[in-house]
Amino acid sequence: SRRCGLAAGRSYSGGGAYPSVSLTCPLPGVPKAVFAAAEGRERFETRVTVLENGLRVASQKKFGQFCTVGLLINSGSRHEAKYLSGISHFLEKLAFSSTAQFGSKDEILLTLEKHGGICDCQASRDTIMYAVSADAKGLDTVVNLLADVALQPRLSDEEIEMTRTAIRFELEDLNMRPDPEPLLTEMIHAAAYRDNTVGLNRFCPVENTDKIDREVLHSYLRNYYTPDRMVLAGVGIEHEQLVECARKHLLGVEPVWGSGQTKDVDRSVAQYTGGIVKVQKDMSDVSLGPTPIPELTHIMIGLESCSFLEEDFIPFAVLNMMMGGGGSFSAGGPGKGMFTRLYLNVLNRHHWMYNATSYHHSYEDTGLLCIHASADPKQVREMVEIITREFILMAGAVGEVELERAKTQLKSMLMMNLESRPVIFEDVGRQVLATNTRKLPHELCALISQVKSADIKRVVTKMLHKKPAVAALGDLTDLPTYEHIQTALSSKDGRLPRMYRLFR
């Protein structure tokens, strides 16, 4: 007769006796398994509900025990024109500190630990995001915590002073890092949008660290932390349950700073200016050790692209993928972008260049396509000429194989990223915050497939009519003038003016 359960005796090595554990009967005492099933597409559509106070609640189904839930707020460094620069940086560091219900950050972490949870806050130029990943059974606790952290922070003097210290340390670290990309990103935005919106500094300037206090923070929060500027997004939970928790914890809540009339909300539209930001810096001792990184000069050149709300956003995303690039030490294998233009035309032909990478930054009202390049200070002039030539060549012929490869790579990257629950959460939150709805992955893939070489040429021609934005960091002795770079970008071959090359 067949038995279900564990065998009394086990002898594996001899081969004569086997454990008589049935492969058809379930083991005793084990919970019933729940399996993921392939369901209709409608099960995966993002659902959105708007509460009476204007707060939007968005959810996305995803199989699994854990969920990611968070508050995204239409607030960031771009909104600080009427305030001291650096408030968003302070709020990011102060997040998940003591609140009306929780006496300290440790208390918050212990509460989350009961549900296997972790928390994080990220501030960007246009959004502040408070997020928690935890067991879906603890949803009520998580939403209660998020509401308390966002609307009832204590902002004690001790916490603000610790934040000042942390920010000063971070700013020092930023200037000592071997990787200059965060600094260059700040510089290229400052050059492209001088003194307005996304051109405002994302990091708190050193001189402002002592000026930002509780009163300044409350003044800012009163204007920007309002329900109509918020989205509560969740992935891996039932929509009705999330809406119920939102009504319970985020409806009719009086914030700690009061609910006075908002009057200093900055609704400016980004104004692209173009220009140059230069920082002369000794990079010779950036990386010490037995194998130090050589002294390099870093250049980033950018041109205005478009907002992520425009139809041209997809062709620009394909163009950015087609340019690709990276570091000269990562060019040696499949999947590392070795077929992109910046590898084929730049790094593989000019051995002295250490880096050539394309970036695309896109916002609700503007965008910026950039190329970052690094080389020895003595090669700066030639490096600038090579990069400007690549911008000019973007408007030329686009091969069918090259275009299909870029589109396939973009779709692959999109689908791969959306395997991650926190990435889905951020995608849901940001799209609903900007458009009140969400384009699903299959819709985006269909739009990517429709991009033609004529679309690439059209958006590039439009982009090349703008003034360039230039960021330069390092030994800038041989850096061409801004006027020379502008002239090179408007020429047919991207070369610097001949008189400059003769007499520089």
Side-chain angles (χ1 to χ4, degrees), residues 167-303:
I167 286 175
R168 289 191 194 106
F169 178 80
E170 186 178 350
L171 293 174
E172 284 181 26
D173 178 62
L174 203 63
N175 287 308
M176 294 168 63
R177 278 189 202 169
D179 175 24
E181 199 269 326
L183 266 181
L184 280 167
T185 301
E186 291 304 302
M187 291 164 64
I188 197 74
H189 279 82
Y193 307 92
R194 192 167 294 276
D195 299 328
N196 77 91
T197 57
V198 293
L200 300 176
N201 203 326
R202 192 170 67 85
F203 298 105
C204 180
V206 178
E207 62 271 16
N208 285 358
T209 52
D210 288 324
K211 298 175 185 174
I212 295 176
D213 54 21
R214 189 190 298 108
E215 187 180 340
V216 171
L217 294 170
H218 276 187
S219 172
Y220 180 87
L221 291 165
R222 187 176 297 111
N223 286 288
Y224 289 101
Y225 277 42
T226 55
D228 57 301
R229 301 178 69 90
M230 293 183 182
V231 169
L232 177 68
V235 176
I237 34 82
E238 294 293 336
H239 185 73
E240 290 76 14
Q241 191 183 356
L242 185 62
V243 171
E244 184 185 334
C245 290
R247 288 186 184 281
K248 180 179 175 183
H249 300 294
L250 286 160
L251 200 60
V253 176
E254 178 78 11
V256 71
W257 48 83
S259 54
Q261 191 68 29
T262 59
K263 55 186 177 182
D264 287 327
V265 176
D266 182 25
R267 293 186 173 86
S268 305
V269 176
Q271 301 295 317
Y272 181 83
T273 60
I276 186 167
V277 172
K278 299 186 289 185
V279 175
Q280 182 80 27
K281 185 180 178 185
D282 180 10
M283 306 286 280
S284 59
D285 60 348
V286 166
S287 177
L288 302 174
T291 55
I293 296 173
E295 181 182 356
L296 301 174
T297 295
H298 302 271
I299 305 293
M300 194 177 275
I301 299 175
L303 291 165

Side-chain angles (χ1 to χ4, degrees), residues 309-354:
L309 299 177
E310 296 177 47
E311 288 183 2
D312 285 344
F313 172 68
I314 299 295
F316 269 116
V318 174
L319 172 65
N320 180 55
M321 191 60 67
M322 192 172 75
M323 297 306 294
S328 59
F329 295 106
S330 62
K336 294 187 178 178
M338 63 185 293
F339 286 107
T340 62
R341 285 194 178 185
L342 292 178
Y343 271 127
L344 292 175
N345 302 343
V346 179
L347 291 171
N348 287 350
R349 295 185 183 182
H350 306 283
H351 62 89
W352 43 269
M353 285 188 70
Y354 281 79

